Amino acid sequence: MQSDSPRHALVIGAGLAGAAVCSVLASKGWRLTLLDAGSGPAQAASALPVGMLSPHVTRAPTPLSRLSALGVADTRTELERLIPQGQGWQACEVDNLSHDVGRWPAALVRPAALVHAWLDEASRLAQLTAHWNHEVAQLWRVQPGIDAEGGGPATPTATWRAVAADGSTLAEAPMVVVCAAFGSASLLSGTGVALPTNALPLRPVKGQMSLAELSGEALADWPQRDNGVYVPQYEDSGLAPRWPSRIWAMGSTYVRGDASTDVTDDGHQRNAQSLEAMNPQAAERLRESAGSQRLLGWAEVRCASLDRLPLAGAVPDNSALLQLKGTRRRYLPSLADTPREPGLYMLSALGSRGITLAHWCARLIASQIQGESFDADPDLVAAVDPARFAWRQARRSST
């Protein structure tokens, strides 16, 4: 398989991250090939029935609170631009009941609506070729003039090749953005890239939501948040056929290190306990729904990093970094000047902030790919740099 255009990018993963990358790159004229292991877009964590777009408020600014403020404004613009209210999102406010006490502007969002809107836009703006049920097992860097498979034409330029478990080529392009959530770890620590796991510390986090059809009055005027978010009412025709079109929801749990997707009674009980502290009447409704077999559940795995910030940008070249450490022990480049794998980028570890941060991070990555300036404080760009862990480890060991 041969790439015929330098402005061709391969995107792996069709959730919020991958769809946002496709939308932004398409707006800049890139031809895109999208690969996903699922049968269609938004099949994993982005299939959440309803999520919350709201700021992360702290007493003193932190990288996450600053990123959140930028991301909320950016995503709100995208929602208003692409999706009519009531068909994938609705504006609201949220009552914070313990941390950051107060009522804050927010929006309820069905993530899949954003995913489909971004991919539809990418299809309109550029040539987007999507391949479903295509699970990538490895990424290989193929140098010019080398055919890694043999028997076929050699590549005219260096490319990244996405390979299936049986060794067959799924797609290739000079540029690739890995947006495979927790699956990004295996792709970037395999033999084709060989990043050590401590240089890319990604962690699975299971989240379970409890929900049911809302047939009567909502039990609160606004969503409420403490240990989880209680949504007293969300109405969206796009929830069907999997979910009722009018629901209440509570969740989700946040279980670190759990990569299972089973809906469990324990998960429902955790949600009920959290809801009890916020709204006892709603907690009683949750338990009654469970007892009458009307309670529904959703569970998926999100991805978080060791420092709970996203990984968005160019992937480090760990071998080149180690060589620098070995030959110049008293000097290592700055984080911004750390060697990178040519043409290899990633967007992962969005945790429970995918709705908020996916598009802002995608814009950052697109600016790096095109060599353009990006209007953000340098320390925020450094805070989400995928090379930050490898760079810190190299500095520690060199001193």
Side-chain angles (χ1 to χ4, degrees), residues 302-374:
R302 294 162 292 187
C303 177
S305 70
L306 186 62
D307 59 12
R308 302 187 186 181
L309 291 171
L311 278 74
V315 173
D317 184 338
N318 199 63
S319 297
L321 184 60
L322 291 177
Q323 289 176 2
L324 284 174
K325 185 187 74 171
T327 57
R328 307 176 69 179
R329 295 186 61 86
R330 295 184 179 180
Y331 169 78
L332 279 173
S334 66
L335 175 59
D337 293 330
T338 295
R340 312 289 170 146
E341 293 279 2
L344 181 59
Y345 297 79
M346 71 178 298
L347 175 50
S348 184
L350 294 173
S352 57
R353 293 280 170 177
I355 297 172
T356 301
L357 297 178
H359 193 263
W360 187 90
C361 289
R363 290 174 48 228
L364 168 62
I365 290 170
S367 71
Q368 293 178 353
I369 289 175
Q370 299 219 142
E372 300 171 345
S373 62
F374 186 69

Side-chain angles (χ1 to χ4, degrees), residues 242-287:
R242 183 176 181 184
W243 312 107
S245 59
R246 185 171 181 254
I247 62 172
W248 61 262
M250 173 61 199
S252 64
T253 60
Y254 198 89
V255 186
R256 297 180 182 88
D258 190 342
S260 68
T261 58
D262 298 329
V263 174
T264 66
D265 291 339
D266 178 68
H268 285 317
Q269 290 171 9
R270 291 188 185 198
N271 282 330
Q273 291 168 0
S274 297
L275 186 53
E276 184 73 41
M278 291 191 287
N279 189 319
Q281 188 179 3
E284 182 61 26
R285 175 180 280 181
L286 189 158
R287 295 187 179 100

Side-chain angles (χ1 to χ4, degrees), residues 13-100:
L16 281 165
V21 167
C22 286
S23 174
V24 176
L25 286 179
S27 72
K28 297 179 179 295
W30 283 74
R31 182 166 66 87
L32 302 162
T33 300
L34 176 64
L35 301 179
D36 193 273
S39 59
Q43 295 292 298
S46 297
L48 179 74
V50 59
M52 174 73 71
L53 174 70
S54 63
H56 179 79
V57 183
T58 54
R59 291 184 179 181
T62 66
L64 182 57
S65 69
R66 293 164 60 203
L67 286 167
S68 173
L70 295 170
V72 165
D74 186 56
T75 302
R76 182 61 182 261
T77 298
E78 290 297 290
L79 289 169
E80 293 176 348
R81 185 175 70 86
L82 293 170
I83 306 172
Q85 278 209 60
Q87 299 180 31
W89 75 285
Q90 65 185 47
C92 67
E93 294 178 311
V94 59
D95 287 331
N96 285 358
L97 302 180
S98 61
H99 302 290
D100 319 321

